[in-house]
Amino acid sequence: MKLGVICDGISRDLKHAIDVMDEFDLEYAELQFVDDKEVGDHTADEIRDIDLLLRDCGKPVSCLSRHIFAGMTSANKPGDDLHTKHMDALKRVIEMAHIVDSPLVRIMTQKKEQILWGKNGAEKWNVAHGAWDSMPPLIAPAVELAKREGVVLAVETGNGTMVNSNYTARKLIDDLDAKDTLKVLWDPANNCWCHELAYPDGYNEVSNGYLGHVHIKDVQVDTPRATLEVRKMGEGQLANHFQPIAEALQRDQYDGVVSFESVYHPGNGDFEAGFKQCIAEFKRIFG
């Protein structure tokens, strides 16, 4: 399995993050924030320096992960000011992807409406009418841009976003007829909030050519109390799912990267310490 990490989960100092990656024999670098900037906001000189550092250290990029389209709502329309701002940022990230040879560029989706479809009365009283249908027109220009630029987009199953399960991610791809250009960035921990069972249910939604990238972390969700706790890997509600997920990825010859998302700290705000407490378990299962 190709293993990596979202580098800023260790440190926004990319050189330090790479040193820690070397210490734990992780190869693939996913870039989100480097120094004080999100990818897509760096200057040409800064991108050159990032690229040289990664190449000198033998760290191929797995994904450039800006929060494209995050924060939008179903009230937004293609070409409005906020959509244009996100599309401009996407263009900049794609330019960076060409330089650093990133095979994937992450996108997100707009804020979640809770009930998108219904029947036997719910379709009248409970559904957020038009919410889902507002999304494909916002994402379609990004897909067309990616096709022209020869890159692949990965839509993350995100907390609080319209695509927050593998089911909805696959449906978006099918609605856009974009399976070759738009893949699923599966974050099974994020999907816990909507109670999609990671394995086998979530995996089976994307196993047939939809999966492009994977984020791994462990959590405990309490939806009624609106509370999310990041847990040390193997101590959250995904503890019994990681091994069958890893075995399925191996069995089905998944050729993407499994990227550790270091968002756990042991109560003191030290995310690098949290990374070091989790990484052995991550490598034991997915390595």
Side-chain angles (χ1 to χ4, degrees):
M1 204 88 74
K2 299 175 182 176
L3 300 186
V5 66
I6 306 175
C7 292
D8 62 275
I10 300 171
S11 174
R12 291 192 180 187
D13 179 338
L14 184 57
K15 179 60 171 68
H16 177 69
I18 289 172
D19 288 343
V20 175
M21 289 176 69
D22 281 339
E23 181 181 351
F24 293 94
D25 196 27
L26 295 172
E27 184 177 3
Y28 288 86
E30 182 171 348
L31 303 183
Q32 184 172 237
F33 290 90
V34 179
D35 296 324
D36 60 345
K37 295 180 180 179
E38 192 174 15
V39 292
D41 291 341
H42 296 90
T43 67
D45 286 345
E46 289 168 338
I47 293 171
R48 182 199 63 226
D49 291 344
I50 290 168
D51 183 49
L52 288 173
L53 175 60
L54 290 164
R55 292 182 190 276
D56 287 348
C57 296
K59 300 298 180 194
V61 176
S62 63
C63 186
L64 294 183
S65 292
R66 187 181 176 96
H67 295 81
I68 303 291
F69 302 131
M72 300 187 73
T73 73
S74 55
N76 286 114
K77 305 297 180 185
D80 69 15
D81 287 347
L82 185 56
H83 185 255
T84 298
K85 180 180 177 181
H86 280 285
M87 285 297 300
D88 288 344
L90 177 59
K91 292 172 186 176
R92 298 194 303 271
V93 178
I94 289 174
E95 290 173 2
M96 182 175 179
H98 287 315
I99 294 169
V100 302
D101 288 333
S102 176
L104 293 173
V105 171
R106 180 185 70 181
I107 63 170
M108 309 291 285
T109 50
Q110 67 259 49
K111 290 181 179 179
K112 180 70 174 176
E113 294 286 352
Q114 292 302 313
I115 302 174
L116 300 176
W117 305 284
K119 59 184 179 181
N120 292 13
E123 77 284 356
K124 175 175 175 62
W125 298 107
N126 305 109
V127 167
H129 295 285
W132 179 267
D133 291 339
S134 74
M135 181 169 51
L138 294 174
I139 307 300
V143 172
E144 292 306 312
L145 175 63
K147 286 180 180 177
R148 293 196 302 270
E149 292 290 334
V151 299
V152 175
L153 304 179
V155 59
E156 179 165 358
T157 59
N159 278 317
T161 66
M162 201 78 81
V163 168
N164 68 339
S165 66
N166 284 3
Y167 172 85
T168 51
R170 177 172 178 159
K171 179 171 173 53
L172 175 63
I173 292 169
D174 287 344
D175 286 357
L176 290 168
D177 191 22
K179 190 176 178 182
D180 291 338
T181 306
L182 182 60
K183 300 294 185 180
V184 179
L185 195 170
W186 181 26
D187 189 322
N190 289 349
N191 298 16
C192 289
W193 191 262
C194 70
H195 302 278
E196 182 178 65
L197 191 67
Y199 189 88
D201 299 11
Y203 180 78
N204 288 341
E205 290 287 350
V206 297
S207 60
N208 186 25
Y210 288 85
L211 185 60
H213 194 60
V214 181
H215 284 171
I216 292 295
K217 58 181 180 281
D218 206 354
V219 298
Q220 188 68 41
V221 304
D222 187 340
T223 306
R225 290 178 173 83
T227 300
L228 175 68
E229 179 186 354
V230 183
R231 292 274 182 93
K232 184 177 177 181
M233 187 164 172
E235 297 182 2
Q237 68 188 75
L238 288 173
N240 295 326
H241 291 260
F242 289 131
Q243 191 65 47
I245 289 171
E247 291 171 359
L249 292 171
Q250 293 275 19
R251 180 192 67 228
D252 295 339
Q253 298 181 315
Y254 168 68
D255 63 357
V257 173
V258 180
S259 197
F260 184 72
E261 185 173 4
S262 184
V263 289
Y264 166 77
H265 69 73
N268 61 359
D270 188 339
F271 289 97
E272 184 177 337
F275 166 86
K276 290 179 177 178
Q277 290 183 22
C278 294
I279 197 62
E281 183 70 357
F282 170 74
K283 290 186 64 183
R284 182 188 70 79
I285 294 170
F286 291 95

